[in-house]
Amino acid sequence: MRAVFVMIKCDLGKAYQVADQAVEDIEQISEIYSTSGQYDLLAKFYVDDDVDVGRFVTEKVQTLPGVKDTFTLITFNAFTPDSSPGGTRIA
C-alpha cells in the first residue's frame, strides 16, 4: 500500500459536501481535511501498489459532485520522529 495525497478545489460553498461524499463513497480514504489557500480540501488515500493512481483520481475523486480541480501528490517513504538516524522507511 502507498499513500496518495490529493488537494481538491471545490465549487464555491461545496467543500463540506465534497468531504462528506468522499468519506461515504471512496473506501481507500484515510482522512480528509479542510484547508485554507488555493485548495479547499486535502485528502489522504491508501491504494494498493498495483493501482493506477491517475485512473483512481480521475474516476473516484474528480467525479465527486462539486469537485472543480485536483492536484495529486504521490508519496515514496514515510518518516516518523522515532525513525532510525539513517532515515529508515516506516511505511
Side-chain angles (χ1 to χ4, degrees):
M1 297 283 266
R2 64 179 163 175
V4 176
F5 292 86
V6 181
M7 298 181 346
I8 304 167
K9 188 180 295 184
C10 302
D11 292 331
L12 291 176
K14 299 296 183 185
Y16 282 75
Q17 290 92 333
V18 171
D20 288 340
Q21 197 69 50
V23 169
E24 282 186 33
D25 291 354
I26 306 173
E27 68 183 55
Q28 296 88 344
I29 199 164
S30 169
E31 48 207 288
I32 189 164
Y33 297 91
S34 56
T35 61
S36 63
Q38 189 174 7
Y39 290 85
D40 303 300
L41 300 169
L42 173 64
K44 181 179 181 182
F45 302 95
Y46 283 104
V47 298
D48 290 328
D49 291 330
D50 62 343
V51 167
D52 180 330
V53 173
R55 185 176 297 272
F56 171 79
V57 172
T58 58
E59 292 180 358
K60 300 279 187 171
V61 181
Q62 291 179 350
T63 57
L64 292 169
V67 171
K68 191 174 190 176
D69 191 19
T70 61
F71 183 84
T72 303
L73 299 168
I74 299 171
T75 64
F76 301 109
N77 296 311
F79 301 91
T80 63
D82 49 315
S83 296
S84 70
T88 302
R89 182 173 174 234
I90 300 300

